[in-house]
Amino acid sequence: MAKAARHRRITVALTLTALALTAASGCGAVDKALDCVRTADAIATSVDNLQQAVSNATSDPTQASEALDEIEKDLGDLGDKTDNADLGKAVDDLRTGVGNVRDSIDKGDATPDITPVTDAAAEIGKVCTP
């Protein structure tokens, strides 16, 4: 329940930020901000799914791999749409974290440390919020 509330707060904050940018800037900047918000929201959802999948790894180990696939897809979308250095670094950190979690799972670790993934996802949320 706390995860859902945190996810909603992030989503609301990102949406409000996008709306503020809409009022204060041109269309190109607005489109970029909205893309950042949408992708950050999708990544937050995927990270929540990854946390659940890791918690349930003994019953369905494929869930974690599917959640990692979804995060990587969202990262590809975000990486294609940004030239912001801070966002680029946060995306790279998240890619590294996802790769490390995937490697741990491939080596048989049923409960890999996903802290680097959650930390990098939080950083993307911060970068997408001025």
Side-chain angles (χ1 to χ4, degrees):
M1 193 63 151
K3 290 178 192 174
R6 186 178 125 248
H7 179 74
R8 269 184 257 134
R9 283 193 305 272
I10 291 170
T11 302
V12 168
L14 292 173
T15 302
L16 291 174
T17 300
L19 291 173
L21 287 171
T22 301
S25 59
C27 290
V30 171
D31 289 341
K32 185 183 281 186
L34 288 173
D35 287 340
C36 190
V37 169
R38 285 186 201 111
T39 306
D41 182 50
I43 289 170
T45 299
S46 297
V47 169
D48 287 344
N49 292 343
L50 176 61
Q51 288 173 322
Q52 282 186 324
V54 168
S55 296
N56 300 327
T58 54
S59 62
D60 188 0
T62 62
Q63 282 183 341
S65 182
E66 290 169 4
L68 291 169
D69 291 344
E70 190 63 31
I71 293 170
E72 287 175 331
K73 177 191 165 295
D74 294 335
L75 287 174
D77 292 346
L78 181 58
D80 294 342
K81 295 176 183 176
T82 187
D83 58 357
N84 179 293
D86 292 334
L87 184 56
K89 180 173 179 348
V91 167
D92 289 344
D93 290 347
L94 187 50
R95 279 192 177 115
T96 299
V98 166
N100 291 341
V101 171
R102 190 178 299 279
D103 288 345
S104 293
I105 290 170
D106 289 346
K107 292 177 182 173
D109 186 353
T111 57
D113 178 16
I114 63 169
T115 303
V117 173
T118 57
D119 290 348
E123 185 61 27
I124 289 174
K126 289 177 192 173
V127 171
C128 288
T129 307

